Amino acid sequence: MRSENASIPVPELRVIPRDAHAVSRKDISSSALRVLYRLRDSGFAAYLVGGAVRDLIVGGHPKDFDLATDATPDQVRQLFRNCRLIGRRFRLAHVVFGREIIEVATFRANVDDGSGDREVHDGGRLLRDNVYGSIEDDAIRRDFTVNALYYAIEDFSVRDYVGGFEDAQNRLMRLIGDPETRYREDPVRMLRAVRLAAKLDFEIEAATAEPLPRLAGLLREAAPARLFEECLKLFLSGHAQESFLRLERHRLLEVLFPESAQAMAANRSGALRTMVLEGLRGTDERVANDEPVSPAFLFALLLWPAYCRALATLQAQGMHAVEAQRRSADRVTVHQLQTIALPRRFSLPMQEIWLLQTRFSLRQPKRVSRLLSHPRFRAAFDFLSLREAASPDHAEDIAFWREAQLQPGAATSALPGSDAGGGEDEELDPDGAPRRRRRRRRNRAG
Ligand code: ATP
Ligand code: MG
């Protein structure tokens, strides 16, 4: 089906028999298998599809198991007591097994964005009608060839209509159909290309990669709430650093985080970018160790360059430090919300992490105990440590507060009594000139 410019590809079936692929029932959740068998035993076609087949083929561990069938949602519901139908326009069946949900979708015709959030176009007109279709229709409306593989429970073969099996062998993300058309239909596919390539260590095939920088601006039209969700997947799934580097390479970062991208470009020493990369590496490590990761900390990190730059600008205009910090935090947040809908429950602690940074250099006993008991102390301290890793400048503060945490009682009596060098903002000048580090005076933050 490699007709290069056709926007609607012609599906052509290739069957990969059970001994020629790596998908094995022992790697599929028992709940998913039960649903597959029940559908088949009732005379319906039943397949494992999408990310799960893709991940299994390349030796990964799928996090969920989605199924496709020719049974209608109502027919699916009649087969399972533990089933509920969701969605208005396109109904999906959720079969519930304790905490596990197996999503069962009826083969779907018509190209759609798969997100369910674009039912109506800007003008309010229906985007497309909801029509069930054949398995071929279902295959070509998916985004990437490797996401359009079907594992058939009837003979354990993999059915490939779009060349996805070969692309998986070659570790390639390739859009189905004409790339530009598919990105225009749903710009979030640009992020999905990068995210899945980062996650799977794939390359983005040349024709699929080519439009990215050109069409990156279309992301501004995507729903900000969806972009927030996509960001969490990009940066909190264990491949944040790789996602970031690839977003940079394909010129998507500057659309997602315009002010941070500008600040990093203007920061000649590269310290801001180094810090972000270092922070993302740490995030990946935490995910790998099954430790919790927080969107507030993540966004504090990703928007730190923007915050530093805004702060430098306001302070250069003569604004008092405390006021400048608050204003910068608000300004950066409000601007970022135009693209990514960061919920307040994350943006508020994100701002606190920033605003607490200058308080690490203040060591009067009362301030010390107040900061130690601040709900955001730990996050803010970790953030300070990260800044130190990127540009050593806060060693003394870090040593002090590490000690203070270990011995809350002793903290007040162990005051070094100096805040020299502490709490300095990243070197950054709005016009990109390296700035001399000034010794910051104590301020009354807090
Ligand atoms: P992940 O590992 O992140 O779950 P995934 O490929 O399973 O990756 P989902 O968002 O769970 O991603 O989507 C499931 C399937 O639905 C995809 O494999 C793909 O076939 C299809 N799909 C998802 N989003 C789109 C889209 N924007 N356009 C077309 N098809 C999509
Ligand atoms: Mg999935």
Side-chain angles (χ1 to χ4, degrees), residues 51-52 54 63-64 66:
R54 175 199 68 213
K63 55 178 170 28
D64 44 36
D66 297 337

Side-chain angles (χ1 to χ4, degrees), residues 46-103:
Y47 300 90
L48 181 67
V49 285
V53 182
R54 175 199 68 213
D55 290 356
L56 289 172
I57 282 177
V58 298
H61 303 281
K63 55 178 170 28
D64 44 36
F65 295 88
D66 297 337
L67 309 186
T69 180
D70 59 359
T72 64
D74 284 318
Q75 289 171 322
V76 176
R77 183 169 52 184
Q78 278 158 27
L79 288 180
F80 302 95
R81 268 194 308 120
N82 48 333
C83 177
R84 54 172 193 249
L85 300 187
I86 61 152
R88 284 174 299 140
R89 191 175 57 109
F90 189 90
R91 286 182 306 158
L92 294 167
H94 276 181
V95 188
V96 184
F97 297 86
R99 299 180 61 188
E100 190 179 12
I101 293 176
I102 303 300
E103 188 172 290

Side-chain angles (χ1 to χ4, degrees), residues 194 197-199 201-203 234-235 238-249 277 280 284:
V194 164
K199 163 178 157 164
D201 192 20
F202 276 28
E203 279 310 313
L234 278 160
F235 297 111
H239 48 77
Q241 203 181 30
E242 196 54 43
S243 291
F244 181 92
L245 292 171
R246 289 175 189 248
L247 287 173
E248 252 185 354
R249 190 190 312 157
L277 282 173
L280 295 176
D284 289 343

Side-chain angles (χ1 to χ4, degrees), residues 334-355:
V334 167
H335 290 179
Q336 187 62 52
L337 286 175
Q338 292 172 1
T339 331
I340 299 175
L342 179 61
R344 273 175 77 80
R345 68 179 186 283
F346 301 128
S347 66
L348 293 180
M350 168 188 83
Q351 295 184 338
E352 284 180 311
I353 290 172
W354 292 338
L355 298 177

Side-chain angles (χ1 to χ4, degrees), residues 147-270:
N147 284 348
L149 295 168
Y150 297 73
Y151 173 77
I153 202 65
E154 80 195 60
D155 60 2
F156 314 121
S157 68
V158 168
R159 313 279 173 94
D160 178 5
Y161 295 90
V162 292
F165 190 73
E166 198 186 322
D167 284 338
Q169 310 297 307
N170 297 323
R171 309 190 81 86
L172 282 179
M173 296 302 301
R174 183 197 306 269
L175 271 169
I176 299 171
D178 172 56
E180 178 154 348
T181 308
R182 301 306 308 276
Y183 289 137
R184 288 189 181 280
E185 276 171 1
D186 178 12
V188 173
R189 288 179 182 141
M190 295 191 274
L191 296 180
R192 288 178 53 82
V194 164
R195 169 166 74 81
L196 293 170
K199 163 178 157 164
L200 301 163
D201 192 20
F202 276 28
E203 279 310 313
I204 303 177
E205 176 271 333
T208 298
E210 180 277 322
L212 292 174
R214 228 165 11 90
L215 301 182
L218 295 174
L219 280 174
R220 289 188 207 103
E221 290 161 29
R226 192 165 165 224
L227 291 185
F228 173 69
E229 291 302 321
E230 202 56 33
C231 277
L232 297 186
K233 292 187 188 173
L234 278 160
F235 297 111
L236 296 181
S237 310
H239 48 77
Q241 203 181 30
E242 196 54 43
S243 291
F244 181 92
L245 292 171
R246 289 175 189 248
L247 287 173
E248 252 185 354
R249 190 190 312 157
H250 297 289
R251 312 290 299 266
L252 301 175
L253 192 76
E254 60 209 62
V255 180
L256 278 185
F257 302 102
E259 294 187 353
S260 269
Q262 282 162 25
M264 285 186 281
N267 175 221
R268 291 221 195 119
S269 72

Side-chain angles (χ1 to χ4, degrees), residues 316-335:
Q317 291 166 5
M319 192 181 289
H320 182 269
V322 178
E323 177 67 7
Q325 286 158 19
R326 286 188 204 290
R327 289 267 194 102
S328 306
D330 283 339
R331 193 172 286 188
V332 167
T333 308
V334 167
H335 290 179

